[in-house]
Amino acid sequence: MRNTIKLLVLLFLVTGCEDFFSPANENIRNIDAMYQEPTYAQGILANAYILLPYSAFPNSDVATDDAVSNDNENNYLQMATGSWAANDNPMSRWQGSRNAIQYINLFLQNADEVMWSKDEVIRTMYNDRLKGEAYALRAVHMYFLLQAHGGWTEDGQLLGVPILTEPETTESDFNVPRNTFQECVDQIMSDVEKALELLPLDYGDISDAEIPEKYKEMGVTNAGDYNRVNGNHMRGRITGRIVEAVRAQVALLAASPAYSSGTNVTWEDAANYAGIVLDRINGVSGLDPNGGTWYANIDEIESLGSGVTPPEIIWRSDISQSNDLETDNFPPSLYGNGRVNPTQNLVDAFPMVNGYPISHPDANYDPNDPYANRDPRLNRYIVINESTQGPNDDIIITGTYGTNNDVINKENGLSTRTGYYLRKLLRPDCNPNPEFNTEQKHYTARIRYTEIFLAYAEAANEAWGPTGTGTYPWSAYDVIKAIRNRAGVGTDNDDPYLEECKNDKDKMRSLIRNERRLELCFENHRFWDLRRWKVSLDKLNETARGMQIDKPNVDPVYTTIEVEPRVYKDYMYHGPIPYQEVLKWTNLKQNAGW
């Protein structure tokens, strides 16, 4: 998929042979060149894929209470500690996603004229699929724009971004106002519906009997013709299933406390849209038993065919062979830079293995042995003192009694600042040691089923309470029980804390939010979740803490330390419109406070 897109973009950027020998003025081709050259046309759409803002690195997590960076030049560190501004915004999607939408609109305006095939029916199938991709990608980019730039203005309006459905030209009026947040949501939902009409649920080779009815009516009788357009070789591109998941994400955002008073999207809507996605895998019974460690399921990753997704994954990136994540985040003794340091705040959020939060009187938590009998996910996601990491299971000592740079604050810009190193997202069989430089396969999980399960649980609890149901037969309680059971939490005692929460909507809300924090940590969700939940400013500014472990005698001494403040203002629940854009265009209102 990656190589195909690169080729398409290359074809889009260069001229054909005829133009090479007889170049046009300045060697620039007109847009109508795409009409007879499908690869040139697809090159335009390919740019919208390239500009997708999903990241394999946990960038935004270091701007939350979940992690810090040991790199003082890190943009997200600087943002979290007071430098976030309308002219200095590492979270901005304005340029990238708006550029993508321009390419998409250009493609949609001209797609019907492209000679995708000399066979009219096959041409129609190609046109359907590619236009479906375009509508779907526009919905994705609009979602990211809303998340990053939607917000309330000084005059009390909840605005989104300017809606653009036609390509801009030199004759366009660029001084256009922002549409309301609700209008943007409506536009996304409209694009979703168009995409679902045109895209297959999944790509894959089918038999003659499985040809969709609409194409049978056009005269398609040979599955080979359909497979040529929508077969296995297309896997990796956006599908109907992915679009349904994006719709669920948009609905959850719009129904959340930070936006709900300015939209007509309800918690019931959000639950039902998530339910559509989950119903396709038989609901709670379809939760992947190995989904919590998707990044380290080595046999599964190694066996993935081109574009194939494992049971946990709705949409993923292409597979790359690298050790970049490990070089960035392994401890220095393993030739890493130890960049992302999980906080004590996050460590404290992992319950005991019996299911109780560590602050609960029935937790049996021992502050003198704080890692004993904890949620198994703690050690799966975070390198704690004296646990192992790397291809040889080396013991990592972060306590002050250690003898190398793994020790907390031993070497500026290299050692952990919190007493913890990152394990999640990393493959233990990578080896950044220059002597070996072992690389392995990685991919970015763009959308996971677990995320949609948690979205359903959150919305269902708000809509019908912990055990209530709507269109689908699973409750918030059912979902959270399944997720905690998969994690190994409360399995030996029937999870009494969950049973305690099942009769209290507020307690269940807190539990769901905490489960989301744990399951999706280091996947760039926490920053946005805190804001859409409209948590208190004190919570937004919770100081990032660490754990210093001394061993003056035989027994270790654990001391919680303050590591890094968070400096967010009361208007920073919503990101800004870029300062230079507001300067240029008088009709573009800024979000309040910026």
Side-chain angles (χ1 to χ4, degrees):
M1 178 63 183
R2 175 180 57 183
N3 293 334
T4 300
I5 287 180
K6 285 181 177 178
L7 176 61
L8 291 172
V9 173
L10 181 63
L11 288 169
F12 175 59
L13 294 175
V14 302
T15 62
C17 293
E18 183 178 348
D19 284 345
F20 178 82
F21 293 108
S22 302
N25 291 338
E26 298 183 3
N27 216 27
I28 297 174
R29 308 177 72 192
N30 294 325
I31 192 63
D32 58 7
M34 69 186 281
Y35 298 160
Q36 300 301 319
E37 298 182 48
T39 51
Y40 179 61
Q42 289 191 65
I44 298 174
L45 185 60
N47 284 282
Y49 278 102
I50 290 171
L51 290 166
L52 286 170
Y54 299 100
S55 175
F57 292 81
N59 299 323
S60 65
D61 290 83
V62 303
T64 74
D65 52 355
D66 276 2
V68 301
S69 173
N70 67 6
D71 176 11
N72 291 330
E73 302 301 315
N74 182 284
N75 289 337
Y76 299 91
L77 179 155
Q78 294 176 5
M79 178 183 74
T81 53
S83 71
W84 195 13
N87 60 355
D88 185 9
N89 181 14
M91 307 303 293
S92 179
R93 308 293 188 206
W94 193 268
Q95 182 173 351
S97 286
R98 282 171 61 90
N99 284 352
I101 290 172
Q102 169 70 0
Y103 283 116
I104 290 166
N105 290 342
L106 192 64
F107 177 85
L108 286 171
Q109 186 182 65
N110 293 278
D112 290 342
E113 304 300 321
V114 177
M115 183 59 68
W116 301 112
S117 171
K118 291 182 180 179
D119 183 294
E120 192 59 35
V121 174
I122 293 176
R123 176 181 178 176
T124 298
M125 286 195 292
Y126 269 117
N127 201 41
D128 282 356
R129 193 204 78 213
L130 288 161
K131 286 175 69 175
E133 288 183 54
Y135 288 121
L137 288 167
R138 191 163 69 184
V140 172
H141 282 286
M142 277 291 287
Y143 166 61
F144 278 103
L145 280 167
L146 271 191
Q147 183 176 245
H149 302 288
W152 297 88
T153 61
E154 294 286 0
D155 57 358
Q157 296 183 81
L158 179 59
L159 299 183
V161 296
I163 294 175
L164 301 172
T165 58
E166 299 291 335
E168 293 177 298
T169 70
T170 55
E171 305 301 317
S172 297
D173 179 9
F174 296 97
N175 192 15
V176 294
R178 297 163 63 188
N179 287 85
T180 67
F181 194 96
Q182 181 63 54
E183 288 169 342
C184 291
V185 169
D186 291 342
Q187 178 61 46
I188 292 173
M189 296 305 185
S190 173
D191 281 344
V192 164
E193 289 304 316
K194 291 176 183 175
L196 291 175
E197 290 173 5
L198 298 170
L199 289 174
L201 181 67
D202 300 297
Y203 295 111
D205 292 343
I206 63 172
S207 66
D208 290 349
E210 297 171 303
I211 297 171
E213 196 61 36
K214 67 176 180 179
Y215 295 129
K216 283 183 180 178
E217 293 175 358
M218 293 181 189
V220 178
T221 58
N222 181 2
D225 291 337
Y226 178 87
N227 295 338
R228 171 181 166 185
V229 179
N230 295 308
N232 288 341
H233 62 295
M234 286 295 110
R235 291 181 304 199
R237 301 173 85 117
I238 199 163
T239 65
R241 187 185 300 268
I242 294 166
V243 175
E244 288 177 345
V246 171
R247 178 173 60 186
Q249 291 175 320
V250 173
L252 185 72
L253 181 74
S256 295
Y259 304 98
S260 59
S261 62
T263 78
N264 60 21
V265 180
T266 66
W267 285 119
E268 289 89 342
D269 295 331
N272 286 331
Y273 283 133
I276 290 171
V277 179
L278 302 178
D279 192 48
R280 295 193 181 281
I281 58 169
N282 298 316
V284 174
S285 64
L287 182 69
D288 180 17
N290 300 311
T293 53
W294 58 269
Y295 55 91
N297 296 338
I298 293 173
D299 290 343
E300 179 180 83
I301 295 171
E302 293 297 322
S303 65
L304 285 178
S306 177
V308 175
T309 55
E312 168 64 11
I313 306 300
I314 297 175
W315 195 18
R316 67 169 176 85
S317 70
D318 58 291
I319 291 176
S320 63
Q321 186 91 6
S322 73
N323 60 19
D324 293 343
L325 273 164
E326 292 73 22
T327 299
D328 262 10
N329 293 294
F330 269 178
S333 67
L334 299 180
Y335 296 88
N337 295 313
R339 285 289 179 244
V340 175
N341 307 153
T343 61
Q344 187 63 41
N345 315 51
L346 176 59
V347 169
D348 288 347
F350 288 88
M352 303 299 289
V353 72
N354 63 16
Y356 286 105
I358 64 171
S359 59
H360 196 282
D362 294 328
N364 298 321
Y365 171 70
D366 182 358
N368 295 314
D369 193 8
Y371 310 123
N373 301 314
R374 296 293 293 277
D375 180 338
R377 289 173 294 189
L378 173 58
N379 200 45
R380 289 176 197 151
Y381 297 162
I382 295 172
V383 178
I384 60 178
N385 185 53
E386 296 192 10
S387 64
T388 61
Q389 192 173 32
N392 299 314
D393 288 331
D394 293 319
I395 296 175
I396 307 301
I397 298 177
T398 64
T400 58
Y401 57 91
T403 59
N404 59 29
N405 284 336
D406 295 346
V407 170
I408 186 171
N409 291 321
K410 183 69 177 294
E411 181 71 24
N412 187 37
L414 195 64
S415 306
T416 175
R417 299 170 61 204
T418 63
Y420 302 104
Y421 290 99
L422 182 68
R423 190 186 306 280
K424 191 176 181 183
L425 307 180
L426 312 185
R427 282 191 55 159
D429 51 344
C430 280
N431 191 348
N433 183 338
E435 183 179 348
F436 303 101
N437 197 33
T438 307
E439 299 180 340
Q440 301 293 354
K441 293 178 179 178
H442 298 74
Y443 66 85
T444 302
R446 291 171 175 165
I447 307 177
R448 295 168 51 202
Y449 275 107
T450 297
E451 178 195 344
I452 306 303
F453 272 111
L454 288 162
Y456 180 86
E458 181 180 339
N461 182 59
E462 300 299 337
W464 307 300
T467 59
T469 58
T471 305
Y472 300 96
W474 342 288
S475 66
Y477 165 84
D478 295 329
V479 169
I480 299 304
K481 186 174 181 63
I483 289 175
R484 282 162 70 90
N485 191 47
R486 178 179 74 179
V489 173
T491 54
D492 293 335
N493 61 345
D494 294 325
D495 205 350
Y497 184 69
L498 176 61
E499 297 304 310
E500 182 181 316
C501 293
K502 72 184 289 186
N503 298 314
D504 189 316
K505 183 176 182 178
D506 293 337
K507 281 187 177 180
M508 182 60 82
R509 178 187 303 117
S510 296
L511 180 59
I512 291 168
R513 289 182 179 184
N514 196 66
E515 285 297 314
R516 184 177 175 94
R517 179 182 191 178
L518 303 183
E519 286 285 336
L520 303 182
C521 64
F522 309 118
E523 297 182 51
N524 294 302
H525 289 279
R526 180 70 172 170
F527 183 89
W528 303 114
D529 283 343
L530 289 171
R531 283 160 175 77
R532 68 177 180 83
W533 290 331
K534 202 70 183 295
V535 299
S536 70
L537 190 59
D538 287 344
K539 178 61 179 174
L540 211 59
N541 283 323
E542 185 177 296
T543 298
R545 304 188 306 274
M547 179 66 78
Q548 179 176 302
I549 307 173
D550 305 304
K551 193 178 281 189
N553 299 303
V554 176
D555 296 324
V557 176
Y558 297 89
T559 305
T560 300
I561 60 173
E562 293 191 351
V563 176
E564 187 175 279
R566 293 286 174 258
V567 187
Y568 293 115
K569 304 294 176 60
D570 59 3
Y571 55 85
M572 292 182 175
Y573 291 95
H574 306 287
I577 305 300
Y579 179 65
Q580 62 272 22
E581 297 298 315
V582 176
L583 284 181
K584 284 188 295 186
W585 313 118
T586 57
N587 287 330
L588 205 58
K589 287 184 179 180
Q590 182 59 279
N591 288 331
W594 295 98

